[in-house]
Amino acid sequence: MAWQFPLLSLLIWLPIVGAVCVLLTGSDKHAGTARGIAILVAIANLLLCIPLYLGFDVTSYAMQFQEEHLWIRAYQTHYALGVDGISVLMVILTNFTGLLVVLASSQTIKLRVAQYMAAFLTMQGMIVGVFCAMDAVLFYVFWEGMLIPMYLSIGMWGSANRSYASIKFFLFTFFGSILMLIALLYLYNQTGTFRIQEYYGLPLSLHVQKYLFFAFLLAFAVKVPMWPLHTWLPDAHTEAPAGGSVILAALMLKLGVYGFLRFSMPITPLACMRLADFMIGMSLIAIVYVGLIAIVQKDMKKLIAYSSVAHMGFSTLGCFMVYDIIRRMGSFQDAYMSLEGAVIQMIAHAFGSGAMFLGIGLMADRLANHSRLIKSYGGVAHSMPVFAAFFMLFALSNVGLPGTAGFVGEFMVIMSAFQTHFWVATMAALTLVLGASYTLWMYKRVFLGPVTNAAVATFKDINVIERINYILLAAGVFFVGLYPLPIINVLRVTIGHLLLQSIPTGLAMNVPMGWAA
Amino acid sequence: MNFTLPLFSAAFPELILLSMTCIVLLADIFLPARLRGLTYYLTQLTLVLAFVAAFMQYQDYPEPIITFHRGYIVDKLAILSKLIMYVFSLFAFIYARDYIKERRIATGEYYLLGLFSVLGMSIMVSAYSLLTIYLGLELLSLSLYAMVAMYKDSTLATEAAIKYFVMGALASGLFLYGISLLYGITGDIQIATIAQTLQSNLNLVALVALIFIISGLIFKFGAVPFHMWVPDVYQGSATPVTLFIASAPKVAAFVIMVRVLVQALPSLQVAWEQVLILVAILSMFFGNLLAIAQTNLKRMLAYSSIAHIGYTLLGILAGPQSAQGYSAAMFYISTYVLVAAGAFAIIAILSKQGMEFDQLNDYRGLNARNPWLAFMMLLLMFSMAGVPPTVGFFAKLGLLQALVEAHLVWLAVLALVFALIGAYYYLRIVMLMYFEEPATPQHSQHIAVSPGLAAVISVNGVAALALGLLPSTFIDLCRISVG
């Protein structure tokens, strides 16, 4: 094979090497240098995504930009990287979010700047690694390894209750991953390889598939997070620094859904089919029940955290609605739309919730006691009109207003659900009401009305860097909301292929020509 | 019976160790006080020479050589474990130097006893008859008892030494009694002969002998239910002594466990497998659970070592059904020793006269006082917890893979659940170092570390990461040696 430019490796390791360089700047005396290096590295990484996007062949479902080197001879583990349509989008999203976080933090973080930047750059590299890994051990290493910088960032720069939240976060996710490791080892013993793609279509009995399914489910359900394993998220979100919350909401939660797409569905299709109702039920609980919880929150970050759980419920609903559609109607097209909606919801949620977390961090920084309680604010729109306008946009995207990012995914999932199951679709559609009530009610109390806290009146509106951040995010929201075609193009073949692998053979009808292979 | 001259070149490392130890002894007695520093350098030279000798053997002896009346073996397992032990002892002496100098613990004796225990360990791993094993074990144990007792100013150390000695003597007695019973059944003490004679002879006496032998071994290893000495000795001893006890002897104990159980008693495998399952579960359970309650870091690491021994045993008991069980256990114990040595070394480096730095609270805000040492400790703690990309993860991965292959999935799940419990107290150290402020203002000034020591501990800590990123070579080495 001809030598190929190791683009994916560069995307993974550039931030990590950058992190080491940032650490070398040492104490806060050189904070400016640390910030500069971090921003440069983040920009360079985002620029590297351009050749990634341009070079990606949208007509092929094969893994692209592959790299492969033998890593551990004894276990036949490879350092194997590659991207398909889903991962390529997630990699771009990761680097986009990484740049935002570094930019935003360069304004707000004053203490141990070098360590902060290093932690986030490392995290960014590792998350890219998760999306690119084609080898189960490599995947697991990145999957678990990124917990270390996240744990440190919550614990070191978080608010009052940070120690508790960080340990809870770490132990919860560590706990979830345990059984996944066993499942991967089981598959290794069946096949003699750690290559994830070799596991697809493995003739496993339903009994074995169920065990594997639950092992994977625990790992991914903690990350998504699905009810009732979501309790770490509000704690982690509230205590984390703004940058940490953004990474959590925009990227880390996506890993759970990504795991369903990469592992659960193609490896254990029979179990997915059998347990689809259970998964749909859990997703509906997340959407409705957790949505209700969000309404009564007094803490803004907690509110957005619960709303994240509800929105991710849409992604899991979209994933498993596929099986309900196939079982009842066998319609490939509807199943396809459901799955595509799930993936687009993943991407859309990153923009809306990420922006809102940034905004809350930005307001809290302007308040002397860094309060995140809704009642500490009121009338922020008077002192920060530009910020209020931006925040409105992201709030509406969170609600799912047509024309914003939040609408597309939810609409596709609900539409396809209506094809088979009226009540499931109706329940899911409740989110439009619930989402509007918690988001807009919060917006009203925080931004509108008279200024109740004297400190709020002295708030300065957002500065240049913050504006750049918000313009980027707003562009993302509109891009996904108004013109999602480039995204859909990248996804089309990959999702079609994934769908064929994920449904037991012979059940799908009217599969378009060219995909049946 | 005709007399054949043993192949002395096979025992070259041991001969070097013995003769050099005598030279060091003489030098330490007769040199004037101002030249005593030489003892340290001679000691390290000894270890380097022994290392070179063993390394040459690795190339020269591709096939196992059995000599000294079939009581002594040189195979890959022996050589690799010797290499590992020499390196760790070398590190242990480097870390010890400043500490014992500052506290005026009899310096020359520390190195001498250290060398004698290294000799004992060398004999242990090369022993091919039960009596040779016993000789090596006793040489090691007696030296260790004296090393613990050497810190005369500390009542804790004296108490620990007495406990260690009394319990250790009991364990040696159990072990010896087991050997005598085996000799009674088989008429020999040579490992290969025992394995042949005992082939289909699963009788009660053999089982009783097995129980005695396992008890002795488990005691030396420090696993439940013979673990009581571990916390006291680890906490009471001067930190460099703890470091030494916690490192190389664990590898030696692992090797004699393989020799006795796997090579001499394969016919009793059904029996010892069950015993080891129980011991491993109990060790992981009590080790991890009791570690949570500790406020003294040395004591916490003592309980954690009990848990890690439990994990190592998992590899041995999965061995018969899995191709990689033994080598996974070998990998686990050697990397654990690397990490544990690093952790104790950090305690020793941070300790000052009158301020032992062994309470958990001492570590509050270490990141602000010395970021590099805190980072090294972070790597070591995550490695102990088994979080990738540190080496601890790959050690656990190998063991779990062996367990799954041996159809012991339930045990693998259980081991991971205990690992989750264990992660909590390792994370707490990280939490104290990074998330908390120093306890009092006078505890907040910067901690200076001599560049030499900083370099050595960096090698140790970074190795925990580097071996994690590129573990392939070392895993292969373990496979070749134990396979």
Side-chain angles (χ1 to χ4, degrees), chain A residues 14 37-49 95 99 103:
Chain A
L14 180 68
I37 298 177
I39 293 176
L40 279 182
V41 169
I43 291 177
N45 234 40
L46 191 58
L47 290 179
L48 281 176
C49 291
N95 287 309
L99 177 63
L103 277 178

Side-chain angles (χ1 to χ4, degrees), chain A residues 13 23 71-75 77 111-112 115 126 137 140-142 144-148 151-156 162-164 166-167 170-172 174-175 177-179 181-182 185-186 188-189 194, chain B residues 324 328 367-368 371 378 382 385-389 393-394 397-401 404-405 409 412-413 416-417 419-420 423-424 427-428 430-431 434-437 468-473 475-476 479:
Chain A
W13 294 103
L23 271 186
W71 184 25
I72 305 175
R73 208 171 308 123
Y75 303 116
T77 301
L111 199 64
R112 301 193 191 108
Q115 293 187 343
M126 286 186 166
V137 173
Y140 193 84
V141 165
F142 284 126
E144 288 282 282
M146 78 187 161
L147 296 184
I148 299 178
Y151 170 72
L152 291 175
S153 77
I154 296 177
M156 287 175 74
R162 58 184 191 265
S163 292
Y164 167 77
S166 58
I167 286 208
F170 194 99
L171 291 183
F172 246 87
F174 197 58
F175 163 71
S177 316
I178 284 176
L179 286 178
L181 184 60
I182 302 278
L185 285 172
Y186 178 85
Y188 169 70
N189 277 304
F194 273 117
Chain B
Q324 288 113 39
N367 179 40
L378 170 116
F382 276 116
V387 181
F393 166 71
F394 293 93
L397 181 75
L399 283 182
L400 296 172
Q401 148 62 15
V404 173
E405 196 180 340
V409 178
V413 174
L416 275 174
V417 170
L420 177 72
Y424 171 73
L427 286 180
R428 204 172 48 173
V430 176
M431 180 190 99
Y434 279 86
F435 307 169
E436 309 272 323
E437 297 304 321
L469 293 175
L470 301 166
S472 190
T473 316
I475 292 181
D476 285 348
R479 285 217 172 166

Side-chain angles (χ1 to χ4, degrees), chain A residues 224-242:
Chain A
V224 170
M226 294 177 76
W227 183 88
L229 298 171
H230 66 284
T231 61
W232 63 271
L233 186 75
D235 283 314
H237 262 318
T238 26
E239 301 304 328

Side-chain angles (χ1 to χ4, degrees), chain A residues 5 25 44 57 69 80 85 113 120 129 139 147 164 184 207 242 256 259 271 292 367 394 416 460 477 481 513:
Chain A
F5 184 71
T25 61
D57 176 11
H69 307 280
V113 178
F120 278 89
F139 175 87
L147 296 184
Y164 167 77
L184 293 176
H207 183 68
L292 284 170
L367 212 58
F394 302 124
S416 47
K460 283 199 182 64
V477 166
M513 296 292 285

